[in-house]
Amino acid sequence: MKRIAEQFDIEGRILSVNRLGEGFINDTFIVVAQSDKGTRRYILQRKNGNIFKNIPGMIDNILKITAHLKKKINAAGGDPSRETLTLIPAKNGDYYLNIEGEYWCLTLYIEDSVTYHSADSEMLAEQGGRGLSSFQLLLSDFDQPLTDTLPGFHNIRFRYAQWEKSLAADPAGRAASVKHLIDEIEQRRGEMLDFYKLIENGEIPLRVTHNDTKISNILFDKSGNPLCMIDLDTILKAPCLYDFGDSIRSYANTAAEDEQDLSKVELSTSMYEAFYRGYISNADKFITEIERKYLPFSARYITYEQVLRFLMDYIDGDTYYRIKYPQHNLVRTLAQLKLLRSIENKLHI
Ligand code: GN1
Ligand code: MG
């Protein structure tokens, strides 16, 4: 690990490299380096090449996006080295390393920042909403082409195509045991496709969005203000609703994504409202009437998609998400389904 970190343009000597975080997809490490200016920390990441088929394209997206953000943050008198990610080039001049087919990249660690795995107050949820919409607003005039790093990511039509293949192949022989859960997915198919048609026909516009906005993908400062959106792997042109819906999935869930005690899992309407308030405070500057109308439904859509994705991975034999124990994807499915039902009941959608 140290030898990999040394191939980046880091000042001074590398003291240590240790694993960090709980991402389901990539592997993340924290690097400590020492130079005569003192110690400095970095984030080293191995991007998952089984999932991302064009990592150079993904890094290029991140470079373009962060350059745009830095310009705007500077113009607003902010600190671009803290309010967005800073990629560090490798010594060969590229912003990634390809070592035996595995891709690595390095960013500055943002000191004095805090991450959360769940929202512990309405204040934090409101600030998270503000952080997300500020990110979307700063990118609203970004007009360069982007590589589609994960084609079909939140496209339910694409997910149904994957789903049908998984069910037909049933590689782990698990489909029969989850028949009742498969039915839960199928029952909602028509409504999900009706929503998706509004995106396909252009009534709901595409914007530059994050697409993976769970609470652990934003850094806060020590006073609880939103600081920096991280995990920029899935930036795409997509509806802003996906980001809102994915946020609600974590900010307004009263329990963890993989809670085993389902009685603990529900939608917190006060957290939902707090996030909504923060989100609208900046989104008001760009959001259209139809987007506003579908904000509550987006929480249902993205949570539904997540139920489908967890269940599909369970049926596939756990090939996509990192699991900690054999039934983990089934546990995640049940917890997300409980949340989905609660969203449907409490938001009346
Ligand atoms: C993955 O990368 P990470 O761990 O933040 C996944 C998201 C899921 C999330 C579920 C590229 O997010 O789509 O919503 O797990 N990212 C990808 O927690 O599939
Ligand atoms: Mg991610």
Side-chain angles (χ1 to χ4, degrees):
M1 233 38 100
K2 229 167 158 177
R3 283 212 319 276
I4 292 171
E6 276 163 3
Q7 296 186 48
F8 285 90
D9 202 2
I10 289 179
E11 234 181 295
R13 193 167 63 88
I14 291 166
L15 299 181
S16 64
V17 182
N18 288 300
R19 192 174 265 279
L20 178 82
E22 298 243 312
F24 293 1
I25 310 285
N26 298 319
D27 295 299
T28 307
F29 304 86
I30 184 157
V31 177
V32 183
Q34 170 131 52
S35 71
D36 39 5
K37 292 180 194 145
T39 59
R40 174 138 227 193
R41 298 198 280 177
Y42 301 85
I43 295 292
L44 177 67
Q45 215 175 35
R46 176 170 41 210
K47 300 290 185 184
N48 188 327
N50 291 328
I51 288 175
F52 297 107
K53 300 300 178 200
N54 180 0
I55 293 172
M58 174 168 101
I59 301 295
D60 187 51
N61 282 356
I62 299 175
L63 271 173
K64 285 185 194 158
I65 292 284
T66 53
H68 180 94
L69 290 172
K70 282 179 191 298
K71 233 190 285 161
K72 308 240 352 204
I73 293 165
N74 247 329
D79 180 347
S81 70
R82 291 179 56 71
E83 294 170 36
T84 190
L85 294 180
T86 305
L87 277 166
I88 307 292
K91 287 178 177 157
N92 70 11
D94 290 336
Y95 280 85
Y96 60 87
L97 283 175
N98 179 348
I99 301 173
E100 292 165 13
E102 293 194 326
Y103 288 86
W104 296 81
C105 73
L106 191 83
T107 52
L108 283 185
Y109 178 87
I110 299 174
E111 299 291 344
D112 296 318
S113 59
V114 187
T115 48
Y116 294 85
H117 290 285
S118 63
D120 58 9
S121 69
E122 285 169 30
M123 182 71 97
L124 191 71
E126 181 166 346
Q127 295 290 32
R130 220 162 54 73
L132 171 62
S133 54
S134 148
F135 177 83
Q136 291 180 342
L137 184 62
L138 290 175
L139 290 172
S140 59
D141 60 345
F142 179 91
D143 55 7
Q144 301 166 57
L146 287 172
T147 299
D148 190 355
T149 54
L150 277 179
F153 194 47
H154 291 308
N155 169 344
I156 205 66
R157 230 183 256 294
F158 171 79
R159 293 296 178 195
Y160 286 137
Q162 284 185 317
W163 166 253
E164 281 154 22
K165 269 197 209 147
S166 294
L167 291 182
D170 191 15
R174 289 171 166 176
S177 66
V178 291
K179 165 89 178 52
H180 58 299
L181 299 173
I182 294 173
D183 291 345
E184 293 274 358
I185 296 291
E186 293 300 340
Q187 279 157 22
R188 294 164 174 86
R189 194 189 269 249
E191 285 170 282
M192 297 300 154
L193 285 170
D194 284 347
F195 170 71
Y196 194 69
K197 282 177 199 152
L198 301 171
I199 298 164
E200 286 174 317
N201 71 18
E203 283 184 64
I204 294 177
L206 305 188
R207 304 180 181 280
V208 178
T209 56
H210 184 285
N211 295 290
D212 186 5
T213 54
K214 61 183 174 191
I215 188 169
S216 53
N217 280 338
I218 181 170
L219 305 180
F220 292 87
D221 71 14
K222 288 193 166 156
S223 323
N225 299 304
L227 187 59
C228 177
M229 294 294 295
I230 58 171
D231 190 2
L232 306 180
D233 299 353
T234 49
I235 288 193
L236 299 167
K237 297 218 166 114
C240 64
L241 295 172
Y242 294 164
D243 285 357
F244 180 84
D246 201 23
S247 302
I248 296 305
R249 202 177 65 74
S250 72
Y251 284 87
N253 186 349
T254 53
E257 196 175 71
D258 57 356
E259 176 58 57
Q260 304 205 12
D261 178 353
L262 295 181
S263 70
K264 291 188 181 155
V265 180
E266 56 177 308
L267 178 84
S268 157
T269 45
S270 60
M271 289 297 209
Y272 174 87
E273 279 156 16
F275 189 90
Y276 188 103
R277 259 197 316 279
Y279 182 74
I280 278 296
S281 69
N282 294 306
D284 244 344
K285 302 187 181 80
F286 60 78
I287 201 165
T288 60
E289 208 178 305
I290 188 164
E291 289 171 301
R292 192 188 291 264
K293 175 174 164 204
Y294 279 94
L295 283 171
F297 190 86
S298 72
R300 184 177 178 216
Y301 178 83
I302 293 288
T303 306
Y304 170 86
E305 184 205 322
Q306 195 65 65
V307 179
L308 184 154
R309 291 174 67 197
F310 282 148
L311 183 58
M312 184 162 70
D313 200 31
Y314 181 70
I315 293 169
D316 285 343
D318 312 308
T319 59
Y320 189 93
Y321 293 110
R322 180 176 294 139
I323 54 168
K324 290 188 179 157
Y325 52 89
Q327 301 290 300
H328 202 168
N329 273 318
L330 182 59
V331 167
R332 288 168 172 154
T333 304
L334 294 170
Q336 289 288 291
L337 178 60
K338 176 75 196 297
L339 178 67
L340 175 66
R341 291 203 188 110
S342 179
I343 290 173
E344 291 169 346
N345 292 333
K346 292 195 179 180
L347 300 181
H348 310 290
I349 45 170

